[in-house]
């Protein structure tokens, strides 16, 4: 979700800007070999690095342009470009007479690869998080989305003057942040945001604070740029994915190898390349320059400071810049959800002279191996209560880079633009809509209620929702009212909650519901709300029971990664069909239950941001484990039965660098005691009980058994496993990239005393159920196709009864 916020900010103010482009190549004067990663600067402060082939492209406002070219071990050269030249400029550099002494190397061997292999072997000795017991530091970050030059707008829009002021006098978007970072071995690094402000917003867009702009370590397996992961240059997989070459050595107090790395294989998406400065003695990283070259060029730099007492290189600063590029590869900057690279090469949309995004972070007040008050239960990032109200003296004290007049001008000017374009309202709508709500004033309308369809109620229309923070930060009211046209019945629910503890996000809730529920369905109290524009299973369900339920619950966040909910409920149950439950010689069609439930959800590898409004998950870590226990008590509030129910669910997702994904979902459920069919388990069947394959053609679900018929199996002991493998999207055109997903599902279960469930016919799953198939998703407007085949012990005699052929629907909001 934070990606959508940042994209909204990112693209709000881009306009057409005039420019000139200069293409060239930098080579060695005597050998004519290209010089990779040479620095090229203009007199207007635009700069570029040459590619591995020595080539570069740089932009400036207008001619004439003075270019300054520098390269380690070579004489710096300045040349003047007076006018446009269609030819590629060739620039030759001479070696310095006092050329740096080099280490004697056996050029017959791949020395660079050997150095990198040894650096990888030693990285735990050089990684501060492995070597040090504790550390802390403060950081100052300034993020600008801007054009750092005077711009000429090619537009006849009447707002031209205002837009010129925006680009020439201010930054389109500017944020500042001061943070305290603390680390203790065995506990992940924690960040406390001490001060933050963003142009245009009274309060920070907290989701932006959760975006991982760039990795702060080069020793991890993956290197992150805007939540997108790439194989790190010192990853254990690095030698299989990168080619390494020694460019030079430095002879400072701490001499270093200067090593070039570049991708081994050409891909249709951008990959990392760059230069590492590797300490000759320790093989630690002293400095790194990392690039992504494509339709956008992204450059990330890291510098390190040496601490002799601890004998370690510790990060000192890091910076990332984005500018338009001229390559064809896509550069997806926001977790792959939006390929921003298309803008970089679309001159009708945007083209810029220099960097249009700059993020610079400086580290200071570094303390190593000192006592740190940090614990595992803290959120990964938390916001200080005073962070949004720091005065100018605080900022002046903690700024490590000067704030310019243009920076200061950004706040009042962009404030007016954000207000005029109602951007805060748009962000509120996006955030709410993504979880299925539409905010209007103090009330969030629930988008799951307006229209649904199922085989029992037919068309189900309704309205519902809950109050938001504009109503109260400590109280909430909720409710809904729906009407089924086939059964001609109204259903409703009302409730409310009170906030008991803000720090633990503890809510005490009371609800009353008069509605229907699917027989055999089982839901975890702590499952996050998941909203879909379309819920395919609902269309074909026809086996429901009626219930009137009072419930009270306590939601409690024990710590960010562990969420709990306890509930007590009492229900009056009625049947919609002819089902009867035989218990102790009595037949029950209507009965009462009194249940006490406790549920836990544990996300040990997820990362959370704690804001004044609660916790936000900023990184999905796996596995995610959910457990729930329910106990029903006979005689309590006239309850008819005593039974127990236990559920356990584990979800694991593997996201790979090549954009493929494997997901596993395991669930085990057990029910004991006197328990009616309404409260047993099914395996989420999704095959309508109709005669032919095409009559059963509908929409496939996300976690459903597509060839299993509704009402075919119920269990009091049930285990299911679903395995999905998504292959990297197949690029046919720039807009048509279907995804192939291979799927296998398994279920095994049993049911005792099946004869006690009368008026219905079903089977157990004790011989094991199997189906496999595939999906081809994103063929058109979120729709795709699904095919599944049922095999094994429950294979049916007619071949067509084992086949499922359906639509799929996956639409990212």
């Amino acid at each position: 979700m934070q990606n959508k916020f940042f994209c909204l900010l990112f693209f709000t103010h881009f306009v057409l800007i005039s420019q000139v482009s200069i293409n060239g190549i930098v080579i060695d004067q005597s050998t004519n070999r290209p010089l990779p990663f040479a620095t090229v600067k203009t007199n207007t402060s635009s700069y570029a690095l040459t590619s591995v082939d020595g080539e570069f492209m740089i932009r400036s406002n207008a001619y004439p342009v003075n270019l300054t070219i520098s390269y380690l071990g070579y004489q710096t050269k300045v040349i003047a470009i007076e006018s446009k030249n269609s030819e590629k400029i060739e620039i030759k550099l001479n070696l310095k007479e006092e050329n740096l002494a080099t280490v004697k190397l056996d050029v017959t061997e791949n020395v660079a690869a050997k150095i990198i292999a040894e650096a990888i072997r030693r990285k735990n000795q050089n990684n501060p998080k492995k070597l040090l017991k504790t550390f802390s530091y403060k950081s100052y970050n300034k993020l600008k989305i801007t054009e750092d030059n005077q711009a000429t707008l090619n537009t006849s829009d009447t707002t031209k003057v205002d837009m010129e002021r925006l680009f020439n006098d201010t930054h389109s978007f500017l944020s500042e942040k001061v943070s305290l970072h603390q680390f203790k071995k065995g506990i992940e690094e924690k960040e406390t945001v001490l001060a933050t402000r963003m142009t245009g917003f009274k309060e920070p867009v907290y989701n932006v604070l959760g975006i991982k702009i760039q990795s702060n370590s080069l020793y991890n397996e993956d290197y992150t740029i805007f939540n997108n992961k790439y194989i790190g240059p010192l990853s254990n997989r690095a030698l299989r994915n990168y080619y390494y070459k020694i460019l030079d050595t430095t002879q400072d107090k701490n001499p270093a190898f200067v090593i070039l790395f570049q991708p081994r294989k050409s891909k249709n998406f951008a990959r990392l390349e760059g230069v590492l400065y590797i300490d000759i003695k320790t093989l630690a990283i002293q400095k790194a320059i990392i690039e992504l070259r494509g339709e956008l060029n992204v450059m990330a730099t890291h510098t390190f400071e040496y601490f002799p007492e601890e004998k370690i290189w510790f990060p000192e600063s890091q910076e990332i810049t984005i500018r338009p590029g001229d390559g064809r590869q896509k550069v997806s900057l926001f977790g792959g959800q939006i390929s921003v690279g298309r803008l970089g090469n679309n001159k009708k949309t945007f083209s810029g002279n220099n960097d249009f995004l700059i993020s610079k972070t400086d580290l200071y007040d570094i303390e190593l191996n000192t006592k740190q008050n940090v614990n595992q239960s803290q959120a990964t990032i938390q916001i200080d209560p005073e962070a949004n109200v720091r005065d100018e003296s605080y900022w002046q004290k903690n700024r490590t880079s000067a704030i310019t007049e243009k920076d200061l001008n950004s706040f009042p000017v962009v404030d007016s633009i954000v207000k005029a374009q109602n951007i805060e309202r748009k962000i509120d709508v996006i955030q709410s809509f993504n979880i299925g709500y539409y905010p209007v004033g103090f009330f969030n309308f629930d988008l799951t209620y307006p229209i649904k369809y199922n085989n029992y109620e037919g068309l189900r229309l309704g309205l519902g929702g809950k109050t938001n923070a504009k109503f109260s930060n400590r109280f909430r009211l909720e409710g809904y009212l729906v009407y089924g046209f086939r059964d001609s019945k109204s259903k409703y629910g009302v409730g409310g909650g009170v906030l008991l503890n803000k720090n633990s996000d503890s809510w005490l809730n009371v609800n009353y519901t008069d509605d229907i529920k699917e027989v055999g369905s089982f839901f975890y109290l702590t499952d996050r709300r998941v909203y879909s524009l379309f819920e395919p299973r609902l269309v074909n369900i026809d086996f429901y029971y009626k219930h009137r339920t009072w419930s009270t619950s306590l939601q409690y966040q024990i710590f960010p990664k562990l969420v709990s909910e306890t509930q007590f409920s009492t229900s009056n149950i009625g049947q919609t069909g002819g089902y009867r439950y035989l218990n102790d010689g009595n037949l029950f069609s209507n009965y009462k239950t009194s249940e006490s439930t406790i549920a836990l959800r544990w996300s040990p590898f997820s990362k959370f941001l704690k804001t004044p409004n609660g916790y936000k998950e900023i990184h999905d870590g796996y596995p995610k484990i959910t457990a729930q226990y329910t106990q029903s008590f006979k005689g309590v509030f006239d309850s008819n039965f005593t039974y127990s129910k236990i559920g356990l669910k584990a979800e694991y997702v593997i996201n790979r660098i090549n954009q493929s994904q494997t997901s596993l979902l395991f669930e085990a459920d057990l029910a004991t005691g006197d328990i009616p069919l309404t409260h047993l388990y099914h395996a989420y069947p999704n095959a309508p009980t109709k005669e032919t394959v095409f009559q059963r053609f509908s929409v496939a679900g996300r976690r459903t058994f597509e060839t299993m018929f509704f009402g075919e199996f119920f269990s009091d002991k049930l285990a299911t496993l679903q395995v999905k493998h998504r292959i990297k999207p197949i690029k046919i055109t720039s807009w048509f990239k279907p995804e192939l997903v291979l799927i296998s599902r398994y279920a095994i279960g049993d049911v005792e005393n099946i004869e006690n469930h009368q008026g219905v016919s079903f089977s157990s799953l004790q011989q094991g159920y199997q189906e496999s198939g595939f999906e081809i998703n994103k063929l058109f407007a979120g729709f795709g196709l699904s095919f599944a085949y049922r095999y094994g012990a429950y294979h049916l005699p007619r071949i067509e009864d084992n086949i499922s052929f359906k639509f799929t629907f996956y639409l990212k909001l």
Side-chain angles (χ1 to χ4, degrees):
M1 193 60 230
Q2 65 266 23
N3 300 332
K4 296 180 178 65
F5 292 146
F6 197 61
C7 291
L8 180 62
L9 298 175
F10 192 90
F11 298 121
T12 301
H13 310 299
F14 283 163
V15 292
L16 289 172
I17 300 173
S18 64
Q19 64 174 10
V20 297
S21 298
I22 301 169
N23 294 283
I25 184 171
V26 180
I27 62 176
D28 182 287
Q29 173 73 41
S30 58
T31 65
N32 286 331
R33 67 179 178 87
L35 299 179
F37 292 95
T39 300
V40 183
K41 293 183 179 180
T42 71
N43 50 315
T44 57
S45 299
S46 180
Y47 72 93
L49 287 182
T50 60
S51 69
V52 292
D53 300 317
E55 296 181 346
F56 69 90
M57 188 276 291
I58 196 165
R59 293 180 171 89
S60 188
N61 297 341
Y63 295 108
V65 179
N66 290 329
L67 295 183
T68 302
I69 303 96
S70 58
Y71 193 69
L72 185 66
Y74 286 77
Q75 298 176 13
T76 298
K77 191 170 189 176
V78 179
I79 64 171
I81 311 297
E82 299 294 339
S83 60
K84 184 175 181 181
N85 189 339
S86 59
E87 299 293 327
K88 184 180 294 184
I89 300 169
E90 185 177 85
I91 302 169
K92 297 182 178 181
L93 298 185
N94 291 311
L95 283 167
K96 290 181 180 178
E97 293 180 3
E98 66 279 12
N99 189 30
L100 298 173
T102 59
V103 176
K104 292 182 179 180
L105 301 172
D106 184 353
V107 295
T108 63
E109 298 182 18
N110 189 346
V111 180
K114 289 188 174 183
I115 293 171
I116 293 298
E118 183 63 17
I120 292 171
R121 192 184 71 82
R122 291 196 204 176
K123 65 182 180 179
N124 284 349
Q125 303 170 30
N126 294 315
N127 185 350
K129 291 186 178 180
K130 299 293 184 180
L131 181 64
L132 301 174
K133 292 182 180 179
T134 64
F135 61 75
S136 70
Y137 61 90
K138 287 184 179 179
S139 67
Y140 169 74
N141 172 264
K142 182 163 67 174
L143 171 66
K144 298 189 291 185
I145 301 174
T146 183
E147 282 291 306
D148 272 333
N149 49 267
Q150 294 297 303
T152 302
L153 305 184
N154 296 326
T155 175
S156 58
D157 194 285
T158 55
T159 62
K160 176 177 179 178
V161 174
D162 290 337
M163 294 304 291
E164 282 183 341
R165 184 185 174 204
L166 173 67
F167 270 83
N168 295 334
D169 298 338
T170 75
H171 299 298
S172 302
F173 177 73
L174 170 69
S175 73
E176 292 185 286
K177 182 177 71 168
V178 176
S179 295
L180 170 66
H181 301 256
Q182 296 172 288
F183 170 80
K184 183 187 292 186
K185 185 167 280 190
I187 300 175
E188 66 179 355
E189 185 175 334
K190 306 294 185 179
E191 176 185 356
T192 302
V193 178
L194 302 175
T196 180
R197 63 176 179 175
M198 300 177 183
T199 49
F201 297 91
K202 296 177 182 178
E203 290 190 3
V205 183
Y206 292 112
N207 298 65
V208 173
L209 298 177
I211 294 176
K212 187 71 172 178
I213 294 178
Q214 71 181 117
S215 291
N216 54 14
S217 174
L218 291 158
Y219 295 106
N220 297 335
E221 283 298 290
D222 298 329
Y223 185 86
T224 300
I225 297 177
F226 284 98
N227 285 351
N228 223 33
K229 291 185 177 181
Y230 303 86
I231 296 173
L234 289 187
S235 160
N236 293 330
R237 301 165 288 167
L239 290 169
R240 300 196 304 269
N241 288 274
Y242 295 112
Y243 166 79
Y244 295 87
K245 179 181 178 181
I246 295 179
L247 298 179
D248 211 331
T249 59
T250 66
Q251 296 299 310
D252 303 333
K253 182 179 179 181
N254 300 102
F257 297 109
V258 182
I259 298 179
L260 167 75
F261 70 94
Q262 64 185 103
R264 283 189 175 274
K265 299 178 182 179
S266 177
K267 297 289 185 180
N268 58 2
F269 56 90
R271 303 183 71 181
L272 300 182
E273 57 183 281
V275 174
L276 302 176
Y277 289 69
I278 303 291
D279 188 286
I280 289 177
K281 183 178 180 180
T282 65
L283 298 186
I285 297 177
Q286 297 181 3
K287 182 179 179 180
I289 302 171
I290 297 173
E291 281 203 282
L292 279 171
R293 292 176 179 268
E295 290 187 335
L296 286 181
N297 282 355
V298 182
M299 179 186 291
T301 60
H302 295 257
T303 59
F304 297 79
E305 178 185 355
Y306 187 65
F307 287 76
E309 186 175 335
E310 289 80 9
K311 297 180 180 179
I312 193 169
W313 288 89
F314 196 85
E316 181 183 47
S317 68
Q318 58 191 54
E319 183 175 6
I320 192 165
T321 61
I322 302 174
R323 67 184 63 178
D326 58 359
R328 294 184 178 180
Q329 295 99 335
K330 300 297 179 187
V331 180
S332 296
L333 295 180
F334 303 97
Q337 294 192 22
I338 295 181
S339 181
V340 189
R342 286 178 295 181
L343 291 182
N345 210 31
N346 185 352
K347 293 180 171 32
K348 292 182 179 178
T349 308
F350 169 77
S351 58
N353 313 24
N354 299 313
D355 308 319
F356 57 79
L357 185 146
I358 304 172
S359 175
K360 178 73 160 55
T361 302
D362 293 316
L363 281 59
Y364 61 101
D365 290 351
I366 298 170
E367 297 181 2
L368 308 181
N369 287 331
T370 58
K371 186 177 180 180
Q372 297 298 324
N373 184 23
V374 59
N375 58 71
Q376 187 68 53
S377 63
Q378 290 178 228
T380 304
I381 305 174
Q382 54 187 6
I383 314 297
D384 187 282
E386 304 296 317
N388 195 40
V389 293
R390 299 294 187 186
D391 58 23
E392 192 59 32
S393 63
Y394 184 94
W395 287 106
Q396 290 176 2
K397 180 181 176 181
N398 287 277
R399 283 193 187 108
T400 56
S401 61
I403 195 86
T404 66
E405 182 179 354
K406 186 173 182 179
D407 292 334
L408 293 173
N409 287 342
S410 297
F411 289 95
V413 175
V414 181
D415 279 351
S416 62
I417 293 174
V418 169
K419 184 177 181 180
Q421 297 185 9
N422 207 12
I423 292 176
E424 287 187 299
R425 163 66 180 170
K426 293 176 183 177
I427 290 176
D428 186 27
V429 170
I430 290 173
Q431 182 180 21
S432 300
F433 191 77
N434 196 60
I435 57 173
Y437 291 100
Y438 187 83
V440 177
F442 63 85
F443 194 78
N444 290 347
F445 285 93
D446 192 327
L447 300 178
T448 64
Y449 287 117
I451 182 167
K452 287 185 179 180
Y453 182 90
N454 61 67
N455 279 339
Y456 175 74
E457 295 175 291
L459 185 64
R460 174 180 167 123
L461 300 180
L463 199 63
K466 63 180 182 179
T467 58
N468 55 41
K470 293 180 181 179
F471 174 79
S472 172
N473 286 316
R474 300 197 61 86
F475 301 95
R476 64 187 179 201
L477 300 174
E478 58 186 317
Y480 72 90
L481 175 65
V482 299
Y483 182 79
F485 283 83
R486 181 174 294 174
D487 66 343
S488 302
K489 297 289 184 181
S490 296
K491 296 92 178 173
Y492 67 94
V494 293
V498 57
L499 180 65
L500 302 180
N501 188 301
K502 189 174 184 179
N503 290 329
S504 61
D505 200 24
S506 301
W507 285 85
L508 179 64
N509 308 296
V510 177
N511 294 87
Y512 177 76
T513 305
D514 185 347
D515 207 338
I516 60 172
K517 187 179 291 187
E518 182 188 3
V519 171
S521 58
F522 179 70
F523 301 100
Y524 292 89
L525 297 179
T526 54
D527 272 4
R528 292 180 300 175
R529 175 187 171 93
V530 177
Y531 168 62
S532 175
L533 284 173
F534 181 61
E535 299 175 72
R537 277 194 80 250
L538 298 181
V539 174
N540 297 303
I541 299 173
D542 58 6
F543 196 9
Y544 290 93
Y545 66 92
K546 303 173 184 177
H547 71 102
R548 287 179 286 118
T549 301
W550 281 99
S551 67
T552 181
S553 65
L554 175 65
Q555 297 170 299
Y556 182 73
Q557 190 127 16
I558 300 173
F559 51 87
K561 298 180 180 182
L562 184 61
V563 178
S564 72
E565 184 166 349
T566 56
Q567 176 180 277
F568 178 80
S569 64
T570 177
S571 301
N572 286 283
I573 308 295
Q575 308 303 317
T576 61
Y579 172 70
R580 301 289 185 273
Y581 178 51
L582 179 63
N583 180 251
D584 291 337
N586 297 313
L587 277 174
F588 292 89
S589 59
N590 300 312
Y591 41 86
K592 293 183 178 180
T593 63
S594 294
E595 296 180 334
S596 194
T597 300
I598 181 169
L600 298 169
R601 186 181 76 237
W602 185 39
S603 306
F605 299 104
S606 290
K607 294 184 179 181
F608 291 84
L609 166 69
K610 185 180 181 182
T611 76
N613 301 321
Y615 290 95
K616 295 180 182 293
E617 190 169 11
I618 57 176
H619 169 72
D620 266 337
Y622 294 95
K624 294 181 185 293
I625 300 170
T626 307
Q628 183 163 296
Y629 175 73
T630 298
Q631 180 66 51
S632 179
F633 305 94
K634 184 176 182 180
V636 175
F637 292 102
D638 299 322
S639 172
N640 295 108
F641 311 118
T642 295
Y643 56 82
S644 302
K645 297 177 69 175
I646 300 175
L648 177 68
K649 181 173 67 173
E651 184 179 5
Y652 193 79
V653 176
I654 304 170
N655 291 302
R656 298 181 180 84
I657 298 293
N658 65 1
Q659 298 180 333
S660 67
Q661 181 191 81
T662 301
S663 63
L664 298 94
L665 178 64
F666 172 77
E667 189 167 352
D669 304 304
L670 174 66
T672 59
D674 302 323
I675 183 165
L677 183 68
T678 51
H679 290 60
L680 292 185
Y681 309 105
H682 60 51
Y684 287 91
N686 196 32
T689 52
K690 296 181 180 179
E691 187 67 20
T692 68
V693 173
F694 288 103
Q695 286 177 326
R696 297 192 291 270
F697 188 84
S698 57
V699 181
R702 303 293 178 92
R703 52 171 293 191
T704 53
F705 282 75
E706 300 304 325
T707 61
M708 186 183 293
F709 291 98
F710 284 94
E712 187 177 4
F713 301 100
F714 289 97
S715 306
D716 54 27
K717 293 177 281 292
L718 177 65
T720 62
L721 174 64
Q722 302 191 37
V723 182
K724 293 185 178 183
H725 179 70
R726 187 188 72 198
I727 296 173
K728 184 183 77 172
I730 303 166
K731 182 180 178 181
I732 298 175
T733 68
S734 60
W735 57 270
F736 185 50
K737 300 175 185 177
E739 294 178 351
L740 176 64
V741 183
L742 307 177
I743 302 173
S744 287
R745 300 184 179 96
Y746 309 91
I748 188 168
D750 200 2
V751 59
E752 295 183 357
N753 303 317
I754 195 171
E755 67 280 358
N756 289 345
H757 304 287
Q758 300 185 4
V760 294
S761 177
F762 63 92
S763 302
S764 74
L765 284 166
Q766 60 183 179
Q767 297 182 56
Y769 189 97
Q770 302 169 75
E771 73 174 28
S772 293
F774 61 87
E775 295 176 351
I776 305 176
N777 297 320
K778 299 182 181 179
L779 293 175
F780 177 74
F783 283 96
L785 294 173
S786 163
F787 174 85
Y789 183 73
R790 170 176 177 162
Y791 58 96
Y794 293 101
H795 184 271
L796 298 172
R798 292 201 320 164
I799 189 70
E800 58 267 32
D801 290 338
N802 299 288
I803 294 173
S804 167
F805 180 61
K806 301 176 183 177
F807 277 129
T808 63
F809 185 73
Y810 292 87
L811 183 63
K812 284 232 181 208
L813 298 179

